[in-house]
Amino acid sequence: MKHLNQNQEFRFNEVLFEHRNKEYGAYALRNESDRILTKALFVGVSLLAAISITPLVISAFTNGSSVHAPVDGPPVVIKLKKVDDQPRPPVEIVKPVQPVAPPNVKQVDTSVPTPKSDAIEPIKQDKPKDATPGLINDFKGEPVKSDSYLPPPPVIGTGPVVKYTPPAPKVDDNHIADPTELASEATYAGGIDSFRNKVMNNFDGSGFGDDGGTMKTVITFIVEKDGTISGIKANGKDAEFNNEAIRTIKNIKGLWRPAKNKQGETVRSYFKFPISMNFE
């Protein structure tokens, strides 16, 4: 019967894994499943038997062991001290709690008296405004202290007087300083005479002065914070002379020393340079 079942299982595996990879682990596991289950059953039964027999073996060894009687020896002498010889802790005297007298505050009896036929009308007294409710009438207690806090008066010293100087307003980066704001004007790095000589040497006056006379113009430009110039303008009467003057100023190399305001800060400023040429 067993071989029959195995043959059926084998045929079923052959049909199931037909045209498939039989090297795959599932095929081998299905063929060896009966052998693995049988081995697992024997191992489980063996472990269960070992666990069941272990307590019996331990009990047998425990009961068979011999118990040795204590060996006789010299008597042991134990000295006991008397209770009176032992030091006693000091006795702490507990003092009774003293009653605390209630504070002497103004009080007024707020209880309702019991009606009586021979009741005597008490003397009417004005209740103080700062009295607290209680069981007795005491209009002469200590006044209640005010909870309001009064700060101590400030101590006025006689130290040196420090003059407050308001901070200077921040100057806009694009602001062009007025001459009244400057502490030092802008100057050419090589000096104004060097700048004038460069203008005269680079100015091309060949197309002017055919009829003789003098031609003038005033060049105005802005000296930036980095020493460069910008916004060059000329306000002479002759347009061509103005254009040549502007061209000459633009072609001059070299940096300028920017102007500074009264706070010592570098600022933008205007610079005027007049040009006058006499043609004979």
Side-chain angles (χ1 to χ4, degrees), residues 44-280:
V45 172
S46 301
L47 289 176
L48 181 62
I51 294 172
S52 303
I53 296 173
T54 300
L56 299 178
V57 174
I58 294 173
S59 176
F61 277 102
T62 303
N63 295 333
S65 60
S66 59
V67 179
H68 299 280
V71 180
D72 294 338
V76 179
V77 179
I78 300 176
K79 295 182 179 181
L80 300 176
K81 294 183 179 180
K82 295 183 179 180
V83 179
D84 296 339
D85 296 340
Q86 297 179 0
R88 298 181 179 180
V91 179
E92 183 180 358
I93 300 175
V94 180
K95 296 182 180 180
V97 179
Q98 299 294 333
V100 180
N104 185 17
V105 296
K106 295 181 181 180
Q107 294 183 357
V108 59
D109 187 6
T110 57
S111 60
V112 179
T114 304
K116 295 182 180 180
S117 58
D118 54 350
I120 301 174
E121 184 69 19
I123 300 173
K124 184 176 182 181
Q125 295 181 355
D126 294 334
K127 181 177 68 173
K129 294 181 180 180
D130 56 349
T132 58
L135 300 177
I136 59 174
N137 289 330
D138 184 6
F139 297 156
K140 297 181 180 180
E142 297 178 358
V144 178
K145 295 181 180 180
S146 177
D147 294 337
S148 60
Y149 172 74
L150 296 176
V155 179
I156 301 176
T158 58
V161 179
V162 180
K163 185 178 180 181
Y164 173 72
T165 304
K170 187 177 180 180
V171 181
D172 187 7
D173 292 338
N174 296 325
H175 173 70
I176 301 175
D178 190 79
T180 58
E181 303 176 15
L182 299 179
S184 61
E185 296 181 353
T187 58
Y188 188 67
I192 193 64
D193 293 336
S194 175
F195 181 74
R196 185 180 294 108
N197 293 332
K198 290 182 178 181
V199 172
M200 299 304 294
N201 294 331
N202 289 280
F203 194 93
D204 185 8
S206 59
F208 308 100
D210 294 339
D211 299 333
T214 302
M215 302 188 73
K216 298 180 181 180
T217 187
V218 177
I219 300 296
T220 305
F221 53 85
I222 301 172
V223 180
E224 301 289 345
K225 294 181 180 181
D226 57 356
T228 59
I229 60 175
S230 63
I232 303 175
K233 297 180 181 179
N235 63 349
K237 294 181 180 180
D238 192 295
E240 293 183 0
F241 190 80
N242 291 339
N243 293 334
E244 179 61 23
I246 292 174
R247 184 197 67 79
T248 303
I249 296 296
K250 288 183 178 179
N251 291 334
I252 294 177
K253 305 297 182 181
L255 294 177
W256 288 70
R257 295 189 182 94
K260 292 186 177 181
N261 59 12
K262 296 179 181 180
Q263 287 77 30
E265 299 174 344
T266 303
V267 293
R268 305 173 72 206
S269 63
Y270 284 110
F271 190 87
K272 293 182 179 181
F273 184 75
I275 299 176
S276 177
M277 289 191 178
N278 187 14
F279 299 97
E280 298 180 355

